[in-house]
Amino acid sequence: QVQLVESGGGLVQPGGSLRLSCAASGSIFSINAMGWYRQAPGKQRELVAAITSGGSTNYADSVKGRFTISRDNAKNTVYLQMNSLKPEDTAVYYCNADLGNIATMLEYDYWGQGTQVTVSS
């Protein structure tokens, strides 16, 4: 079973930092682009940051200079380092990845279960 498992969310004060991790597991033959999305209550899910298999990155304007996305291909893991957190960063954060499934030899878009990030004093 191919899946993405996230960890690292929690409660942090404004100005603090958190690091999210997302590991892909199962019978995978390829991992292409990986990324993080977030969804705040009453709002649509939005892209936070993405990284290609070659390491190219892009960020939402609202997080540029504060968040850093990275990946460890040997561990099939993508990270999101979040610094200088603001209350408006509060949301459920979802990992997303384009993975090749050995069972079908096709590539699919997979989502993690989501992890809550709350920025509050």
Side-chain angles (χ1 to χ4, degrees):
Q1 179 182 0
V2 175
Q3 61 180 347
L4 296 173
V5 179
E6 301 148 346
S7 60
L11 173 65
V12 64
Q13 292 186 340
S17 298
L18 281 176
R19 189 193 196 206
L20 305 182
S21 299
C22 172
S25 63
S27 300
I28 302 167
F29 70 83
S30 67
I31 302 178
N32 301 311
M34 305 183 82
W36 290 93
Y37 288 71
R38 67 186 181 188
Q39 188 166 19
K43 294 188 177 181
Q44 289 189 326
R45 190 173 298 189
E46 62 175 358
L47 175 68
V48 176
I51 185 168
T52 67
S53 57
S56 298
T57 60
N58 69 285
Y59 296 91
D61 288 342
S62 59
V63 307
K64 283 181 180 177
R66 300 188 297 122
F67 291 10
T68 302
I69 189 170
S70 61
R71 62 191 286 169
D72 184 336
N73 292 329
K75 296 182 178 180
N76 294 343
T77 299
V78 63
Y79 305 97
L80 185 68
Q81 178 66 44
M82 304 184 293
N83 298 329
S84 302
L85 283 161
K86 305 175 181 179
E88 51 263 43
D89 294 317
T90 296
V92 177
Y93 284 69
Y94 296 92
C95 176
N96 172 263
D98 182 31
L99 306 176
N101 189 320
I102 287 178
T104 62
M105 293 308 292
L106 295 173
E107 295 176 338
Y108 301 95
D109 198 37
Y110 288 87
W111 291 90
Q113 79 282 3
T115 185
Q116 177 70 45
V117 172
T118 302
V119 184
S120 175
S121 55

